[in-house]
């Protein structure tokens, strides 16, 4: 099938490469000429495991092309995917749909044959109807069916998620469009039960409901972690104990510095705003957003407390900058807010991230960068483990301690147990673990 993809970012590039790999003939379009030139020269503008090889193989096989010309992407296409960004609008937190509107109007203007417009971008309920109006205004003769097909890929595991999705949501009342999408995904050989065939508005809502629910789950376990610290429990045991309940499930029960990334912050905000606009406010989501915002500052205070209450003039190593492992994406990464708060408190920062350093340097130009975790820890008063990169799971803590000037380890991912860190000469602070009685006594005596 001939397919066009408008927007060649994380979602567009992964979708384009994976659809081409299924045997489809794909043209990816982006208005960013530098990005297209970079991809054409064989260098991807983003890091996603396995993607460079997949793109190269399918470009080589002649099934995947890149252009800045929408007309080229549309030429002969039966389906056009919209995968442009929908960031939060700065003024009110609503989803900024300007890129979607612009892309769809451009498609409508050049459409000469019937085509199915598949919206992969995350858009608020009712956007499909607005797009139909935009199409009718831009080109009354265009024959374009608008379908919602939200994307659920996880950065860092995107190719696997495309090939073995939990589900594929297809939102349309148009039977021909539904059949076309089922044919398009047929080479995945999924059981029919993997497809959620629904109306367009339900499909739009499913995407926001999924992200908001996961954000709530993270926020819940973060609050449980805080309670464990105060009341004397271990959040890892609590998470394990509730995660075994099939009604709850074990995923997204890892406490940490709060959620970030390219989706959860903006999508929870957009859902809350959209719910308010419909006169049906979602207080759980509004509260989740507020708690998560406060958490980043609270985590910075926790780090400062672990460093003896004052970090002025002290050097701190930050391990992990990206919002999650296996990506170079820094959008809304908790590390940014934490580092800025520590800088405000007078600390000097030396950071290391396995893939995000290039992006980080643009956003955090005023900090130093190490060549690896040990180099970042060199001369540091304390080390703060922020992002759960697997490489940080097996650090030689004794070696790291020898590189450091101080002995504080703040482990925001609970990668290490207190005993093992202490055996290496480190003073350990985790998340959601009760402070041992001997330390409580020492603090009380200060
Ligand atoms: P991105 O910012 O990485 O990429 C968007 C691309 O669209 C950019 O390259 C931009 O230049 C291009 N673009 C913007 N307007 C254009 C236009 N008019 N014509 C052609 N190209 C245009 O965004 P992303 O992370 O890939 O996200 C895309 C959408 O998918 C968003 O709505 C997002 O919420 C959703 N989504 C993202 C993820 C994720 O993990 N990143 C997962 C699921 C859903």
């Amino acid at each position: 099938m001939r397919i066009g993809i408008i927007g060649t970012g994380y979602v567009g590039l992964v979708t384009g490469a994976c659809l081409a790999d299924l045997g489809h003939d794909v043209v990816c379009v982006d208005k960013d000429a530098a990005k297209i030139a970079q991809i054409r020269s064989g260098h991807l503008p983003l890091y996603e495991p396995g993607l460079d090889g997949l793109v190269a193989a399918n470009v080589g096989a002649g099934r995947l092309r890149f252009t800045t010309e929408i007309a080229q992407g549309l030429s002969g296409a039966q389906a056009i995917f919209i995968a442009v960004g929908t960031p939060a609008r700065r003024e009110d937190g609503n989803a900024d749909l300007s890129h979607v509107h612009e892309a769809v109007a451009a498609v409508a203007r050049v459409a000469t044959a019937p085509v199915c417009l598949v919206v992969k971008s995350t858009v608020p309920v009712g956007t499909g109807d607005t797009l139909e109006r935009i199409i009718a205004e831009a080109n009354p003769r265009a024959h374009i069916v608008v379908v919602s097909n939200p994307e659920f890929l996880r950065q860092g595991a995107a190719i696997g998620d495309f090939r073995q999705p939990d589900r594929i949501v297809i939102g349309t009342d148009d039977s021909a469009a539904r059949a076309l999408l089922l044919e398009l995904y047929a080479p995945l050989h999924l059981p029919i039960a993997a497809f959620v065939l629904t109306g367009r508005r339900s499909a739009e809502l499913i995407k926001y409901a999924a992200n908001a629910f996961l954000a709530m789950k993270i926020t819940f376990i973060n609050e449980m972690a805080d309670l464990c610290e105060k009341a004397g429990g271990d959040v890892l045991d609590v998470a394990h104990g509730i995660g075994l309940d099939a009604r709850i499930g074990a995923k997204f029960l890892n406490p940490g510095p709060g959620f970030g990334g390219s989706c959860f912050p903006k999508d929870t905000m957009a859902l809350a705003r959209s719910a308010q606009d419909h006169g049906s406010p979602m207080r759980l989501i509004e509260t989740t957003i507020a708690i998560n915002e406060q958490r980043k500052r609270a985590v910075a205070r926790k780090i400062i407390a672990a460093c003896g209450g004052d970090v002025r003039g002290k050097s701190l190593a930050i391990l992990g900058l990206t919002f999650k492992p296996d990506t170079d994406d820094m959008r809304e990464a908790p590390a940014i807010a934490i580092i800025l708060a520590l800088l405000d408190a007078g600390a000097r920062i030396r950071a290391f991230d396995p893939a995000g350093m290039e992006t980080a340097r643009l956003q955090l130009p005023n900090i130093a960068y190490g060549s690896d975790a040990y180099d970042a820890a060199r001369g540091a008063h304390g080390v703060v483990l922020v992002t759960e990169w697997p490489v940080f799971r097996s650090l030689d803590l004794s070696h790291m301690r020898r590189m450091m000037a101080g002995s504080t380890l703040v482990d925001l991912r609970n990668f290490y147990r207190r005993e093992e860190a202490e055996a290496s000469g480190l003073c350990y602070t985790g998340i959601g673990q009760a402070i041992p009685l001997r330390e409580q006594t020492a603090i009380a005596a200060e």
Side-chain angles (χ1 to χ4, degrees):
M1 194 183 292
R2 259 283 290 116
I3 296 166
I5 312 258
I6 315 293
T8 310
Y10 282 87
V11 169
L13 192 51
V14 169
T15 306
C18 289
L19 286 172
D21 205 52
L22 292 182
H24 297 303
D25 177 14
V26 180
V27 176
C28 289
V29 183
D30 205 288
K31 66 176 183 181
D32 182 340
K35 189 178 263 191
I36 291 297
Q38 195 183 341
I39 299 172
R40 278 180 168 167
S41 74
H43 301 289
L44 299 193
L46 54 92
Y47 173 69
E48 178 65 37
L51 189 59
D52 46 1
L54 200 69
V55 169
N58 285 282
V59 168
R63 288 190 296 264
L64 182 60
R65 285 167 287 153
F66 296 93
T67 178
T68 53
E69 301 297 325
I70 276 206
Q72 220 175 308
L74 202 62
S75 161
Q78 288 170 271
I80 283 280
F81 282 79
I82 300 297
V84 300
T86 49
R89 239 170 23 199
R90 203 174 282 273
E91 60 273 25
D92 58 10
N94 271 308
D96 176 356
L97 296 178
S98 57
H99 299 296
V100 175
H101 293 174
E102 182 191 321
V104 170
V107 167
R109 279 194 293 273
V110 294
T112 49
V115 68
C116 182
L117 188 118
V118 187
V119 182
K120 268 227 168 289
S121 299
T122 303
V123 294
V125 59
T127 299
D129 302 45
T130 309
L131 297 183
E132 281 178 345
R133 284 197 291 278
I134 289 174
I135 291 166
E137 275 169 30
N139 181 0
R141 281 172 304 163
H143 184 71
I144 298 177
V145 182
V146 179
V147 178
S148 169
N149 174 216
E151 181 54 61
F152 299 96
L153 65 77
R154 294 163 303 160
Q155 286 174 230
I159 295 172
D161 284 348
F162 182 93
R163 290 176 174 160
Q164 287 171 312
D166 290 339
R167 76 302 208 187
I168 291 179
V169 175
I170 299 175
T172 180
D173 293 329
D174 186 300
S175 55
R178 188 183 308 127
L180 184 90
L181 279 232
L182 287 172
E183 183 192 335
L184 188 145
Y185 286 117
L188 286 173
H189 300 295
L190 300 172
I192 190 67
F195 290 91
V196 179
L197 306 176
T198 182
R200 201 166 57 199
R201 284 179 177 244
S202 300
E204 290 166 341
L205 281 168
I206 287 169
K207 173 65 195 175
Y208 280 107
N211 274 0
F213 194 87
L214 293 172
M216 243 166 35
K217 208 172 169 189
I218 295 172
T219 305
F220 173 81
I221 203 66
N222 282 339
E223 287 207 308
M224 280 307 301
D226 292 347
L227 177 60
C228 282
E229 287 176 15
K230 296 268 162 54
D234 185 332
V235 74
L236 294 182
D237 291 343
V238 175
H240 182 58
I242 61 171
L244 288 172
D245 187 328
R247 295 168 303 176
I248 296 173
K251 292 183 179 164
F252 281 72
L253 285 180
N254 299 319
F259 62 79
S262 58
C263 292
F264 284 3
K266 78 173 178 65
D267 290 350
T268 45
M269 190 76 86
L271 179 61
R273 291 284 176 267
S274 154
Q276 283 163 4
D277 291 347
H278 283 87
S280 182
M282 298 187 72
R283 305 221 189 285
L284 275 174
I285 302 307
E286 290 171 10
T287 306
T288 296
I289 296 166
I291 295 170
N292 195 60
E293 247 342 275
Q294 288 159 10
R295 183 160 190 85
K296 296 173 204 161
R297 287 189 292 277
V299 165
R301 286 196 296 275
K302 183 184 176 82
I303 295 167
I304 293 169
C307 292
D310 188 4
V311 291
R312 215 177 314 261
K314 288 180 182 164
S315 168
L316 296 179
I318 301 290
L319 304 187
L321 295 165
T322 51
F323 83 92
K324 66 188 288 193
D326 285 321
T327 181
D328 59 353
D329 200 336
M330 289 287 298
R331 286 179 279 186
E332 300 286 330
I336 298 174
I338 293 170
I339 288 174
L340 292 178
L342 293 174
L343 288 172
D344 277 351
R348 286 178 287 118
I349 304 290
R350 190 170 163 83
F352 170 72
D353 187 278
M357 307 262 273
E358 217 173 296
T359 333
R361 277 195 171 95
L362 302 173
Q363 295 198 34
L364 297 163
N366 297 330
I367 64 171
Y369 293 89
S371 56
D372 61 21
Y374 304 107
D375 186 41
R378 195 184 300 274
H381 178 89
V383 170
V384 186
L385 200 162
V386 179
T387 312
E388 67 274 41
W389 280 94
V391 68
F392 298 146
R393 271 189 192 279
S394 51
L395 293 171
D396 179 341
L397 294 184
S398 301
H399 177 54
M400 193 170 81
R401 170 68 186 90
R402 284 195 294 276
M403 307 292 283
M404 296 167 62
S407 62
T408 304
L409 173 62
V410 182
D411 177 4
L412 298 178
R413 299 296 174 174
N414 287 337
F415 269 11
Y416 297 93
R417 299 305 290 177
R418 175 181 302 281
E419 306 73 45
E420 116 186 74
E422 286 178 351
S424 302
L426 290 160
C427 296
Y428 182 83
T429 302
I431 292 266
Q433 300 168 29
I435 301 169
L437 206 55
R438 62 178 188 286
E439 285 182 32
Q440 281 181 31
T441 319
I443 292 168
E446 275 174 14

